[in-house]
Amino acid sequence: MRYRAMIADDYEAAYQLWENTAGMNLSQADSREEILRYLERNPGMSQVCEDKDGQLAGTVMCGHDGRRGYMYHVAVSGACRGKGAGREMVSRSLKALREAGIAKCHLLVIEGNTLGRSFWSGTGWQERDGLVLFSQNTDL
């Protein structure tokens, strides 16, 4: 596997991976324009991996708000799972957050995504109790 920072040219392959990843929820916020804006705002924090043929095999969207880090769309293609790609990309993103002075990172997993929940709990992340997420569109 080859690991590197995610760039604008990765968008189409990344979106295709996300569409084919069980438990992944996509929305208008995942449009090309929105993802490129996120990458520009958080340079070098999001990661991808490529397989031996140079095909995109995994993604981690990562950024911060100046206080806490956040990860989104952590995905690895079925053919490349179980080989440490997810762990390596997450590790690289956490390192970028540390270098930016960010001490803690959060992520969201859809409640019914058992594969995702298993990955995160198996890699040392703690599932939080007692939190309720509220959301609202800004176009009131």
Side-chain angles (χ1 to χ4, degrees):
M1 299 298 259
R2 181 175 160 248
Y3 301 91
R4 61 175 173 78
M6 186 176 190
I7 59 172
D9 288 345
D10 294 319
Y11 176 77
E12 284 77 17
Y15 195 88
Q16 185 175 31
L17 173 66
W18 300 336
E19 281 185 313
N20 293 302
T21 299
M24 186 75 58
N25 186 31
L26 299 174
S27 70
Q28 180 58 33
D30 299 306
S31 69
R32 180 178 177 79
E33 177 184 14
E34 294 290 325
I35 295 297
L36 298 187
R37 183 168 34 170
Y38 188 82
L39 293 174
E40 288 175 18
R41 187 176 188 281
N42 299 283
M45 293 198 171
S46 296
Q47 298 289 307
V48 297
C49 66
E50 298 171 332
D51 65 18
K52 61 181 166 76
D53 298 323
Q55 299 300 308
L56 190 127
T59 63
V60 172
M61 297 289 301
C62 181
H64 68 86
D65 61 11
R67 184 171 170 268
R68 294 286 185 249
Y70 300 91
M71 284 191 196
Y72 307 93
H73 295 356
V74 179
V76 176
S77 68
C80 295
R81 286 189 188 140
K83 300 176 181 176
R87 289 176 193 250
E88 181 63 25
M89 289 185 298
V90 167
S91 176
R92 289 168 177 261
S93 289
L94 289 174
K95 180 178 185 238
L97 289 171
R98 274 192 311 277
E99 289 172 352
I102 305 300
K104 187 173 235 182
C105 184
H106 299 296
L107 57 93
L108 302 172
V109 178
I110 294 173
E111 189 173 16
N113 182 351
T114 55
L115 183 62
R117 290 174 82 167
S118 176
F119 173 79
W120 294 111
S121 64
T123 56
W125 290 68
Q126 291 82 42
E127 188 170 327
R128 299 280 305 264
D129 291 327
L131 297 176
V132 177
L133 176 68
F134 288 85
S135 299
Q136 183 171 1
N137 291 335
T138 59
D139 60 350
L140 301 175

